[in-house]
């Protein structure tokens, strides 16, 4: 996965959960990585019109943060109030078995 630094501005990826993806049980998933610097808050957002998205964020320190609902809509959002320096991993998946479709992920300050 491409690594992008947040200092360069927002990072965004458009993707597709589909039959060719890696699987976790009966759910497809994609991953993306980006760099962040300590003390800088940021937001990760996952939106799809095709499936109920579930967002998982891995921190440089090894913690995992999950969110599958934001305001009862088909979007997930994780607010990180003060980043640790290092590589974060965005894990895009869904609760729906074999659910597929297009999605959009953005990371912004």
């Amino acid at each position: 996965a491409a690594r992008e630094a947040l200092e360069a501005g927002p990072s965004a990826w458009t993707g597709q959960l589909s039959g060719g993806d890696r699987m976790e049980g009966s759910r497809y998933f994609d991953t993306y990585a980006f760099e962040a610097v300590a003390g800088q808050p940021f937001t990760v957002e996952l939106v799809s019109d095709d499936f109920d998205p579930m967002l998982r964020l891995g921190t440089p320190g090894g913690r995992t943060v999950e969110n599958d609902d934001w305001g009862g809509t088909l979007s997930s959002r994780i607010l990180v109030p003060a980043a640790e320096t290092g590589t974060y991993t965005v894990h895009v998946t869904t609760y729906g078995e074999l659910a597929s479709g297009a999605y959009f992920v953005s990371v912004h300050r």
Side-chain angles (χ1 to χ4, degrees):
R3 289 177 199 281
E4 298 183 37
L6 274 185
E7 294 73 65
S11 295
W13 301 277
T14 302
Q16 190 90 15
L17 281 187
S18 65
D21 291 347
R22 287 170 295 172
M23 296 189 78
E24 191 176 66
S26 58
R27 301 188 302 265
Y28 301 122
F29 72 90
D30 288 330
T31 55
Y32 300 91
F34 65 93
E35 305 290 324
V37 175
Q40 294 179 340
F42 63 84
T43 300
V44 183
E45 204 157 10
L46 166 61
V47 180
S48 173
D49 290 329
D50 297 334
F51 59 87
D52 187 5
M54 208 266 276
L55 177 61
R56 194 175 302 143
L57 181 67
T59 70
R63 287 188 316 118
T64 300
V65 185
E66 274 190 16
N67 184 315
D68 74 317
D69 283 310
W70 181 266
T73 61
L74 285 188
S75 66
S76 304
R77 186 178 298 170
I78 293 174
L79 311 174
V80 178
E84 304 164 66
T85 296
T87 302
Y88 286 77
T89 308
V90 178
H91 189 97
V92 175
T93 188
T94 174
Y95 283 118
E97 296 209 357
L98 304 179
S100 61
Y103 61 82
F104 178 73
V105 181
S106 62
V107 180
H108 51 86
R109 284 216 194 112

XYZ file of all heavy atoms in Angstrom:
821
model
N 0.850 -1.192 0.000
C 0.000 0.000 0.000
C 0.886 1.243 0.000
O 1.930 1.250 0.644
C -0.903 -0.001 1.228
N 0.436 2.251 -0.689
C 1.210 3.487 -0.749
C 1.211 4.158 0.618
O 0.214 4.124 1.330
C 0.587 4.415 -1.789
N 2.323 4.755 0.977
C 2.406 5.519 2.223
C 2.410 6.987 1.865
O 3.195 7.418 1.033
C 3.695 5.207 2.969
C 3.717 3.851 3.564
C 5.063 3.613 4.228
N 5.273 2.193 4.405
C 4.732 1.473 5.384
N 3.948 2.047 6.267
N 4.967 0.196 5.486
N 1.550 7.729 2.508
C 1.510 9.160 2.259
C 1.624 9.874 3.589
O 1.155 9.377 4.600
C 0.193 9.547 1.584
C 0.025 8.893 0.230
C -1.237 9.333 -0.467
O -1.603 10.498 -0.350
O -1.851 8.489 -1.125
N 2.267 11.028 3.579
C 2.408 11.792 4.814
C 1.306 12.826 4.899
O 0.975 13.470 3.909
C 3.774 12.471 4.838
N 0.734 12.977 6.093
C -0.356 13.943 6.275
C 0.106 15.382 6.067
O -0.683 16.231 5.714
C -0.932 13.819 7.684
C -2.014 12.769 7.873
C -2.572 12.858 9.279
C -3.138 12.941 6.874
N 1.389 15.641 6.297
C 1.876 17.013 6.129
C 1.624 17.490 4.712
O 1.493 18.658 4.447
C 3.393 17.115 6.386
C 3.814 16.827 7.800
C 3.712 15.345 8.135
O 4.433 14.543 7.544
O 2.861 14.989 8.966
N 1.627 16.566 3.772
C 1.448 16.925 2.366
C -0.008 17.269 2.059
O -0.358 17.524 0.927
C 1.909 15.777 1.482
N -0.860 17.267 3.078
C -2.273 17.560 2.861
C -3.081 16.291 3.058
O -2.538 15.273 3.467
N -4.367 16.341 2.783
C -5.218 15.175 3.014
C -4.812 13.994 2.126
O -4.343 14.198 1.018
C -6.616 15.652 2.643
C -6.520 17.119 2.443
C -5.088 17.476 2.235
N -4.975 12.806 2.641
C -4.777 11.604 1.839
C -6.154 11.044 1.531
O -7.043 11.094 2.386
C -4.003 10.549 2.630
O -2.703 10.993 2.913
N -6.319 10.504 0.342
C -7.617 9.920 -0.005
C -7.410 8.756 -0.951
O -6.501 8.777 -1.782
C -8.511 10.975 -0.653
N -8.228 7.748 -0.769
C -8.155 6.566 -1.617
C -9.564 6.172 -2.010
O -10.480 6.184 -1.193
C -7.526 5.389 -0.879
C -6.149 5.661 -0.378
C -4.974 5.573 -1.086
C -5.765 6.047 0.944
N -3.899 5.891 -0.271
C -4.366 6.178 0.970
C -6.496 6.304 2.118
C -3.665 6.549 2.114
C -5.796 6.680 3.261
C -4.392 6.798 3.252
N -9.741 5.824 -3.264
C -11.010 5.283 -3.728
C -10.750 3.813 -3.993
O -9.753 3.469 -4.619
C -11.458 5.974 -5.024
O -11.566 7.366 -4.757
C -12.805 5.452 -5.475
N -11.613 2.954 -3.504
C -11.367 1.535 -3.678
C -12.641 0.757 -3.884
O -13.733 1.316 -3.959
N -12.470 -0.538 -3.932
C -13.572 -1.445 -4.215
C -13.362 -2.693 -3.366
O -12.303 -3.306 -3.433
C -13.483 -1.818 -5.708
C -14.684 -2.553 -6.237
C -15.748 -1.613 -6.789
O -15.485 -0.449 -7.029
N -16.943 -2.112 -6.965
N -14.336 -3.026 -2.533
C -14.301 -4.333 -1.883
C -14.867 -5.301 -2.907
O -15.940 -5.077 -3.448
C -15.191 -4.368 -0.626
C -14.645 -3.754 0.659
C -15.601 -4.054 1.802
C -13.257 -4.238 0.989
N -14.101 -6.366 -3.196
C -14.558 -7.282 -4.231
C -13.963 -8.664 -4.025
O -13.100 -8.864 -3.173
C -14.149 -6.749 -5.603
O -12.738 -6.737 -5.699
N -14.423 -9.583 -4.833
C -14.044 -10.978 -4.711
C -12.558 -11.265 -4.756
O -12.116 -12.287 -4.260
N -11.769 -10.364 -5.314
C -10.335 -10.607 -5.382
C -9.570 -10.171 -4.140
O -8.375 -10.382 -4.040
N -10.261 -9.519 -3.203
C -9.586 -8.969 -2.029
C -9.199 -10.042 -1.026
O -9.713 -11.148 -1.044
C -10.502 -7.972 -1.305
C -10.720 -6.703 -2.106
O -9.984 -6.489 -3.077
O -11.628 -5.940 -1.759
N -8.320 -9.655 -0.114
C -8.007 -10.536 1.015
C -9.254 -10.664 1.876
O -10.129 -9.800 1.858
C -6.873 -9.933 1.844
C -5.548 -10.056 1.107
C -4.490 -9.269 1.794
N -4.818 -7.847 1.722
C -4.158 -6.906 2.377
N -3.163 -7.229 3.169
N -4.494 -5.647 2.258
N -9.330 -11.747 2.621
C -10.536 -11.986 3.421
C -10.198 -12.185 4.878
O -9.121 -12.644 5.228
C -11.278 -13.212 2.906
C -11.797 -13.027 1.501
S -12.879 -14.387 1.027
C -14.384 -13.917 1.887
N -11.158 -11.825 5.706
C -11.098 -12.006 7.146
C -12.384 -12.752 7.457
O -13.456 -12.160 7.411
C -11.097 -10.610 7.756
C -10.794 -10.515 9.205
C -10.749 -9.043 9.606
O -11.793 -8.361 9.553
O -9.658 -8.591 9.939
N -12.302 -14.043 7.658
C -13.531 -14.827 7.768
C -14.253 -14.755 6.442
O -13.685 -15.060 5.393
N -15.504 -14.290 6.465
C -16.273 -14.191 5.223
C -16.406 -12.738 4.765
O -17.327 -12.381 4.054
C -17.660 -14.798 5.438
O -18.299 -14.116 6.502
N -15.478 -11.881 5.228
C -15.555 -10.458 4.862
C -14.297 -10.045 4.112
O -13.191 -10.406 4.477
C -15.696 -9.609 6.127
C -16.934 -9.970 6.927
C -17.154 -8.995 8.052
N -16.027 -8.912 8.961
C -15.931 -9.608 10.091
N -16.876 -10.441 10.450
N -14.882 -9.467 10.868
N -14.501 -9.263 3.060
C -13.374 -8.729 2.300
C -12.771 -7.552 3.045
O -13.458 -6.863 3.791
C -13.839 -8.244 0.926
C -14.472 -9.317 0.087
C -15.763 -9.191 -0.394
C -13.756 -10.476 -0.226
C -16.345 -10.180 -1.172
C -14.332 -11.473 -0.998
C -15.618 -11.318 -1.465
O -16.184 -12.294 -2.228
N -11.484 -7.290 2.806
C -10.898 -6.077 3.374
C -9.756 -5.549 2.507
O -9.153 -6.289 1.739
C -10.424 -6.297 4.815
C -9.181 -7.149 4.956
C -7.924 -6.570 4.958
C -9.283 -8.527 5.104
C -6.782 -7.352 5.093
C -8.147 -9.314 5.247
C -6.889 -8.720 5.238
N -9.513 -4.240 2.635
C -8.386 -3.564 1.993
C -7.644 -2.795 3.080
O -8.251 -2.388 4.071
C -8.873 -2.549 0.948
C -9.437 -3.219 -0.296
O -8.994 -4.327 -0.636
O -10.313 -2.611 -0.937
N -6.347 -2.561 2.879
C -5.600 -1.757 3.841
C -4.809 -0.659 3.138
O -4.399 -0.817 1.982
C -4.612 -2.609 4.679
O -3.762 -3.326 3.783
C -5.328 -3.581 5.569
N -4.622 0.435 3.857
C -3.846 1.580 3.377
C -2.975 2.040 4.529
O -3.324 1.819 5.686
C -4.774 2.731 2.964
C -5.723 2.347 1.862
C -6.985 1.833 2.155
C -5.340 2.464 0.535
C -7.847 1.437 1.143
C -6.200 2.082 -0.488
C -7.447 1.572 -0.172
O -8.289 1.191 -1.183
N -1.859 2.672 4.222
C -0.977 3.165 5.276
C -0.633 4.628 5.029
O -0.567 5.079 3.885
C 0.300 2.337 5.325
N -0.444 5.363 6.109
C -0.008 6.754 6.000
C 0.808 7.110 7.229
O 0.763 6.423 8.240
C -1.205 7.708 5.832
C -2.127 7.752 7.014
C -1.957 8.711 8.012
C -3.160 6.833 7.142
C -2.805 8.735 9.111
C -4.006 6.868 8.233
C -3.829 7.822 9.221
N 1.570 8.197 7.110
C 2.423 8.652 8.204
C 1.780 9.858 8.882
O 1.204 10.707 8.214
C 3.786 9.101 7.651
C 4.502 8.054 6.822
C 4.999 6.886 7.659
O 5.409 7.111 8.810
O 4.965 5.752 7.151
N 1.916 9.924 10.204
C 1.445 11.097 10.937
C 2.510 11.487 11.959
O 3.398 10.699 12.275
C 0.117 10.808 11.629
N 2.388 12.711 12.456
C 3.366 13.249 13.397
C 2.679 13.538 14.726
O 1.537 13.995 14.761
C 3.989 14.547 12.815
C 4.909 15.204 13.818
C 4.735 14.227 11.527
N 3.380 13.277 15.821
C 2.835 13.449 17.166
C 2.242 14.840 17.367
O 2.787 15.830 16.883
C 3.915 13.187 18.207
N 1.123 14.877 18.073
C 0.514 16.145 18.437
C -0.427 16.703 17.387
O -1.086 17.709 17.631
N -0.496 16.077 16.226
C -1.394 16.585 15.187
C -2.665 15.751 15.145
O -2.610 14.569 14.830
C -0.706 16.546 13.826
C 0.460 17.483 13.742
C 1.146 17.425 12.386
O 0.994 16.467 11.645
N 1.908 18.452 12.087
N -3.799 16.354 15.479
C -5.053 15.611 15.397
C -5.445 15.367 13.945
O -5.066 16.134 13.063
C -6.061 16.539 16.075
C -5.459 17.891 16.002
C -3.967 17.729 15.919
N -6.159 14.281 13.711
C -6.669 14.032 12.362
C -7.926 13.175 12.432
O -8.264 12.619 13.471
C -5.605 13.394 11.458
C -5.135 12.035 11.900
C -5.835 10.881 11.554
C -3.983 11.913 12.657
C -5.394 9.629 11.958
C -3.538 10.661 13.060
C -4.239 9.520 12.713
N -8.616 13.100 11.308
C -9.847 12.340 11.185
C -9.699 11.361 10.030
O -9.176 11.733 8.980
C -11.026 13.290 10.877
O -11.136 14.219 11.954
C -12.334 12.528 10.746
N -10.151 10.136 10.248
C -10.195 9.146 9.174
C -11.658 8.878 8.893
O -12.433 8.665 9.825
C -9.518 7.824 9.586
C -9.531 6.842 8.415
C -8.106 8.057 10.072
N -12.045 8.919 7.644
C -13.443 8.746 7.277
C -13.564 7.710 6.167
O -12.763 7.696 5.249
C -13.977 10.089 6.789
C -15.454 10.226 6.927
C -15.856 11.698 6.977
O -15.018 12.572 6.717
O -17.023 11.944 7.279
N -14.563 6.858 6.296
C -14.829 5.807 5.307
C -16.300 5.900 4.924
O -17.163 5.868 5.798
C -14.523 4.437 5.916
C -15.034 3.197 5.178
C -14.441 3.096 3.788
C -14.717 1.949 5.985
N -16.563 6.043 3.636
C -17.930 6.213 3.155
C -18.190 5.239 2.020
O -17.333 5.042 1.164
C -18.149 7.658 2.627
C -19.571 7.839 2.134
C -17.820 8.671 3.701
N -19.366 4.617 2.026
C -19.765 3.768 0.908
C -21.267 3.857 0.713
O -22.018 3.924 1.679
C -19.392 2.313 1.178
O -19.939 1.487 0.155
N -21.682 3.846 -0.553
C -23.114 3.771 -0.858
C -23.528 2.327 -1.070
O -24.703 2.024 -1.212
C -23.434 4.557 -2.133
C -23.295 6.057 -1.906
O -23.542 6.514 -0.774
O -22.931 6.762 -2.858
N -22.550 1.413 -1.142
C -22.827 0.038 -1.543
C -22.882 -0.962 -0.392
O -23.490 -2.017 -0.516
C -21.757 -0.432 -2.531
C -21.783 0.385 -3.824
O -22.855 0.913 -4.155
O -20.742 0.488 -4.480
N -22.202 -0.660 0.711
C -22.206 -1.591 1.847
C -22.046 -0.792 3.132
O -21.736 0.390 3.098
C -21.083 -2.633 1.700
C -19.698 -2.050 1.625
C -18.965 -1.787 2.772
C -19.119 -1.767 0.398
C -17.692 -1.243 2.700
C -17.835 -1.224 0.312
C -17.135 -0.957 1.480
N -22.299 -1.451 4.258
C -22.170 -0.808 5.560
C -20.702 -0.869 5.965
O -20.203 -1.941 6.308
C -23.048 -1.544 6.571
C -23.103 -0.816 7.906
O -22.548 0.303 8.009
O -23.680 -1.371 8.847
N -19.978 0.240 5.894
C -18.542 0.181 6.101
C -18.146 0.031 7.565
O -18.820 0.532 8.455
C -18.034 1.509 5.542
C -19.202 2.399 5.472
C -20.442 1.585 5.544
N -17.049 -0.653 7.775
C -16.465 -0.787 9.106
C -15.010 -0.396 8.993
O -14.282 -0.923 8.151
C -16.593 -2.226 9.606
C -16.653 -2.298 11.109
S -15.071 -2.556 11.869
C -14.956 -4.314 11.749
N -14.626 0.561 9.806
C -13.304 1.159 9.731
C -12.488 0.733 10.937
O -12.965 0.781 12.063
C -13.482 2.679 9.729
C -12.261 3.572 9.727
C -11.421 3.332 8.491
C -12.710 5.032 9.772
N -11.265 0.293 10.684
C -10.355 -0.062 11.772
C -9.053 0.681 11.526
O -8.546 0.687 10.410
C -10.125 -1.569 11.777
C -9.486 -2.074 13.043
C -9.385 -3.588 13.046
N -10.675 -4.222 12.890
C -10.866 -5.350 12.181
N -9.867 -5.935 11.553
N -12.052 -5.892 12.115
N -8.548 1.316 12.569
C -7.317 2.082 12.451
C -6.257 1.486 13.366
O -6.492 1.331 14.563
C -7.581 3.536 12.847
C -6.396 4.496 12.749
C -5.991 4.699 11.294
C -6.737 5.834 13.387
N -5.117 1.118 12.788
C -3.996 0.614 13.578
C -3.018 1.742 13.835
O -2.637 2.455 12.911
N -2.619 1.922 15.099
C -1.705 3.013 15.447
C -0.261 2.523 15.445
O -0.006 1.322 15.521
C -2.023 3.566 16.852
O -1.650 2.578 17.818
C -3.514 3.906 16.989
N 0.705 3.464 15.393
C 2.116 3.067 15.431
C 2.452 2.270 16.693
O 3.320 1.408 16.677
C 2.872 4.400 15.413
C 1.927 5.369 14.810
C 0.560 4.909 15.202
N 1.743 2.552 17.787
C 2.002 1.869 19.046
C 1.317 0.517 19.153
O 1.423 -0.148 20.178
N 0.575 0.130 18.111
C -0.030 -1.194 18.107
C -1.465 -1.263 18.601
O -2.041 -2.341 18.693
N -2.063 -0.126 18.937
C -3.470 -0.149 19.350
C -4.357 -0.214 18.117
O -3.951 0.161 17.025
C -3.827 1.120 20.141
C -3.254 1.139 21.535
C -3.784 2.318 22.337
N -3.780 3.567 21.563
C -4.872 4.266 21.265
N -6.065 3.862 21.635
N -4.778 5.392 20.582
N -5.595 -0.675 18.311
C -6.572 -0.704 17.229
C -7.798 0.073 17.670
O -8.278 -0.104 18.781
C -6.984 -2.158 16.915
O -5.821 -2.869 16.518
C -8.001 -2.205 15.796
N -8.281 0.956 16.814
C -9.489 1.729 17.079
C -10.487 1.344 16.003
O -10.141 1.277 14.831
C -9.201 3.240 16.996
C -10.421 4.039 17.401
C -7.997 3.612 17.851
N -11.746 1.077 16.392
C -12.770 0.664 15.421
C -13.963 1.586 15.462
O -14.308 2.106 16.513
C -13.291 -0.737 15.770
C -12.474 -1.830 15.193
C -13.142 -3.197 15.359
O -14.354 -3.248 15.650
O -12.428 -4.194 15.197
N -14.609 1.745 14.324
C -15.879 2.463 14.274
C -16.671 1.953 13.085
O -16.146 1.849 11.990
C -15.650 3.969 14.120
C -16.950 4.750 14.169
O -17.934 4.370 13.548
N -16.964 5.838 14.886
N -17.932 1.620 13.306
C -18.721 1.154 12.172
C -19.946 2.014 11.924
O -20.637 1.802 10.960
C -19.145 -0.304 12.356
C -20.239 -0.448 13.390
O -20.141 0.203 14.439
O -21.176 -1.196 13.164
N -20.221 2.974 12.776
C -21.388 3.834 12.544
C -21.079 5.254 12.942
O -20.513 5.490 13.998
C -22.591 3.356 13.360
C -23.233 2.137 12.737
O -23.494 2.189 11.527
O -23.441 1.149 13.434
N -21.456 6.155 12.079
C -21.331 7.562 12.424
C -22.669 8.197 12.125
O -23.041 8.337 10.971
C -20.220 8.229 11.623
C -20.063 9.660 11.994
C -20.645 10.732 11.384
C -19.312 10.176 13.081
N -20.298 11.883 12.027
C -19.491 11.568 13.066
C -18.521 9.610 14.067
C -18.880 12.404 14.011
C -17.913 10.439 14.991
C -18.097 11.821 14.962
N -23.431 8.489 13.153
C -24.718 9.139 12.963
C -25.724 8.281 12.218
O -26.594 8.794 11.546
N -25.601 6.959 12.327
C -26.580 6.071 11.719
C -26.549 6.059 10.201
O -27.491 5.625 9.553
N -25.467 6.551 9.619
C -25.372 6.592 8.157
C -24.407 5.517 7.678
O -23.773 4.849 8.478
C -24.830 7.956 7.691
O -23.523 8.128 8.252
C -25.733 9.084 8.145
N -24.282 5.398 6.383
C -23.328 4.446 5.818
C -21.948 5.092 5.751
O -21.354 5.235 4.699
C -23.762 4.010 4.417
C -24.926 3.031 4.349
C -25.106 2.534 2.925
C -24.695 1.834 5.269
N -21.472 5.513 6.918
C -20.108 6.017 6.954
C -19.519 5.718 8.318
O -20.239 5.508 9.287
C -20.057 7.525 6.661
O -20.687 8.240 7.684
N -18.208 5.658 8.366
C -17.480 5.417 9.603
C -16.465 6.529 9.742
O -15.877 6.961 8.758
C -16.724 4.094 9.531
O -17.594 3.034 9.245
N -16.269 6.957 10.970
C -15.315 8.042 11.183
C -14.580 7.797 12.488
O -15.196 7.402 13.474
C -16.079 9.367 11.258
C -15.197 10.569 11.338
C -16.028 11.837 11.362
N -16.809 11.970 10.145
C -17.760 12.877 9.979
N -18.069 13.703 10.949
N -18.421 12.939 8.844
N -13.276 8.026 12.466
C -12.480 7.927 13.688
C -11.722 9.240 13.852
O -11.035 9.679 12.929
C -11.487 6.741 13.633
C -12.262 5.412 13.640
C -10.503 6.801 14.801
C -11.395 4.185 13.450
N -11.890 9.861 15.015
C -11.170 11.090 15.326
C -9.971 10.716 16.184
O -10.119 10.040 17.194
C -12.066 12.047 16.124
C -13.472 12.282 15.558
C -14.300 13.116 16.518
C -13.399 12.948 14.200
N -8.798 11.150 15.774
C -7.587 10.891 16.559
C -7.126 12.239 17.108
O -6.649 13.086 16.361
C -6.499 10.241 15.674
C -5.220 10.023 16.475
C -7.011 8.921 15.109
N -7.336 12.479 18.416
C -7.117 13.821 18.975
C -5.653 14.269 18.957
O -5.383 15.434 18.774
C -7.628 13.724 20.405
C -7.815 12.285 20.691
C -7.889 11.542 19.391
N -4.719 13.359 19.152
C -3.301 13.728 19.105
C -2.522 12.507 18.643
O -2.391 11.526 19.356
C -2.806 14.186 20.471
N -2.031 12.600 17.435
C -1.373 11.445 16.828
C -0.073 11.084 17.528
O 0.574 11.927 18.142
C -1.085 11.757 15.365
N 0.304 9.813 17.420
C 1.679 9.396 17.710
C 2.418 9.508 16.379
O 1.815 9.364 15.323
C 1.722 7.916 18.113
C 0.852 7.507 19.268
C 0.694 5.969 19.274
O 1.705 5.277 19.497
O -0.421 5.494 19.046
N 3.715 9.703 16.438
C 4.500 9.736 15.205
C 4.675 8.320 14.678
O 4.933 7.399 15.452
C 5.889 10.357 15.470
O 5.693 11.718 15.864
C 6.756 10.318 14.220
N 4.496 8.164 13.376
C 4.738 6.861 12.775
C 3.685 6.484 11.758
O 2.927 7.325 11.279
N 3.650 5.202 11.438
C 2.771 4.694 10.395
C 1.447 4.208 10.971
O 1.434 3.418 11.914
C 3.456 3.518 9.664
O 4.697 3.972 9.130
C 2.573 2.991 8.529
N 0.376 4.688 10.398
C -0.980 4.239 10.745
C -1.484 3.359 9.619
O -1.164 3.589 8.453
C -1.917 5.439 10.901
C -1.686 6.198 12.173
C -0.606 7.063 12.296
C -2.525 6.040 13.269
C -0.379 7.758 13.466
C -2.304 6.735 14.443
C -1.228 7.595 14.541
O -1.003 8.272 15.704
N -2.295 2.380 9.962
C -2.876 1.501 8.956
C -4.390 1.646 8.991
O -5.002 1.554 10.057
C -2.524 0.031 9.258
O -1.115 -0.066 9.420
C -2.955 -0.862 8.109
N -4.981 1.893 7.831
C -6.435 1.971 7.698
C -6.900 0.639 7.129
O -6.418 0.201 6.090
C -6.852 3.114 6.754
C -8.360 3.149 6.590
C -6.339 4.441 7.266
N -7.840 0.016 7.813
C -8.363 -1.294 7.433
C -9.830 -1.076 7.058
O -10.626 -0.662 7.900
C -8.227 -2.200 8.660
C -8.513 -3.635 8.429
N -7.518 -4.555 8.199
C -9.677 -4.321 8.439
C -8.066 -5.762 8.079
N -9.369 -5.636 8.205
N -10.169 -1.270 5.797
C -11.531 -1.055 5.291
C -12.222 -2.401 5.190
O -11.762 -3.289 4.482
C -11.501 -0.419 3.882
C -12.908 -0.319 3.305
C -10.825 0.938 3.917
N -13.338 -2.563 5.908
C -14.088 -3.809 5.795
C -15.558 -3.532 6.081
O -16.006 -2.390 6.041
C -13.488 -4.914 6.710
O -14.142 -6.152 6.430
C -13.632 -4.579 8.180
N -16.322 -4.580 6.339
C -17.757 -4.448 6.559
C -18.215 -5.606 7.421
O -17.498 -6.601 7.556
C -18.501 -4.481 5.201
O -19.908 -4.483 5.457
C -18.147 -5.715 4.391
N -19.381 -5.478 8.024
C -19.934 -6.607 8.769
C -20.668 -7.572 7.852
O -20.990 -8.676 8.227
C -20.886 -6.129 9.863
C -20.159 -5.593 11.061
C -20.319 -4.274 11.452
C -19.297 -6.402 11.792
C -19.643 -3.779 12.554
C -18.616 -5.907 12.882
C -18.796 -4.599 13.261
O -18.122 -4.108 14.339
N -20.965 -7.110 6.636
C -21.753 -7.940 5.727
C -20.926 -9.050 5.106
O -19.846 -8.796 4.575
N -21.412 -10.271 5.175
C -20.687 -11.384 4.560
C -20.619 -11.182 3.054
O -21.635 -10.933 2.408
C -21.409 -12.708 4.844
C -21.418 -13.034 6.310
C -21.461 -14.539 6.555
O -21.542 -15.305 5.576
O -21.401 -14.919 7.720
N -19.418 -11.259 2.508
C -19.184 -11.121 1.074
C -19.752 -9.829 0.495
O -20.009 -9.743 -0.704
C -19.742 -12.336 0.310
C -19.208 -13.694 0.770
C -19.847 -14.815 -0.034
C -17.689 -13.770 0.638
N -19.962 -8.829 1.356
C -20.454 -7.538 0.866
C -19.359 -6.901 0.015
O -18.177 -6.986 0.347
C -20.818 -6.624 2.027
N -19.764 -6.285 -1.081
C -18.772 -5.684 -1.959
C -19.292 -4.355 -2.470
O -20.459 -4.022 -2.301
C -18.464 -6.623 -3.126
O -19.632 -6.851 -3.872
N -18.419 -3.610 -3.111
C -18.815 -2.334 -3.680
C -17.746 -1.282 -3.508
O -16.683 -1.534 -2.941
N -18.058 -0.097 -3.994
C -17.100 1.005 -3.984
C -17.104 1.720 -2.638
O -18.111 1.728 -1.936
C -17.465 1.987 -5.090
N -15.958 2.324 -2.318
C -15.870 3.126 -1.097
C -14.856 4.239 -1.304
O -14.076 4.229 -2.260
C -15.471 2.268 0.111
C -14.126 1.615 -0.032
C -12.950 2.315 0.258
C -14.012 0.304 -0.489
C -11.712 1.721 0.094
C -12.774 -0.295 -0.647
C -11.622 0.430 -0.355
O -10.394 -0.155 -0.522
N -14.867 5.170 -0.381
C -13.934 6.300 -0.403
C -13.402 6.483 1.015
O -14.168 6.527 1.956
C -14.665 7.559 -0.872
C -13.798 8.786 -0.885
C -12.817 8.959 -1.852
C -13.974 9.770 0.067
C -12.012 10.091 -1.860
C -13.176 10.916 0.064
C -12.190 11.072 -0.911
N -12.076 6.537 1.145
C -11.442 6.738 2.442
C -10.697 8.067 2.386
O -9.998 8.338 1.413
C -10.382 5.652 2.749
C -9.763 5.874 4.122
C -10.982 4.276 2.672
N -10.837 8.883 3.425
C -10.031 10.097 3.480
C -9.450 10.262 4.873
O -10.043 9.862 5.864
C -10.847 11.332 3.081
O -11.910 11.512 3.982
N -8.271 10.854 4.898
C -7.597 11.171 6.151
C -7.277 12.645 6.069
O -6.640 13.103 5.116
C -6.285 10.378 6.305
C -5.609 10.739 7.627
C -6.535 8.881 6.222
N -7.744 13.422 7.025
C -7.496 14.866 6.969
C -7.349 15.432 8.363
O -7.830 14.850 9.326
C -8.625 15.571 6.192
C -9.992 15.232 6.665
N -10.610 15.884 7.707
C -10.859 14.254 6.278
C -11.802 15.341 7.904
N -11.971 14.361 7.068
N -6.693 16.552 8.426
C -6.506 17.221 9.716
C -7.765 17.948 10.102
O -8.478 18.428 9.266
C -5.400 18.260 9.585
C -4.043 17.614 9.569
C -3.090 18.527 10.291
N -1.746 18.096 10.010
C -0.872 18.795 9.287
N -1.229 19.934 8.748
N 0.331 18.355 9.102
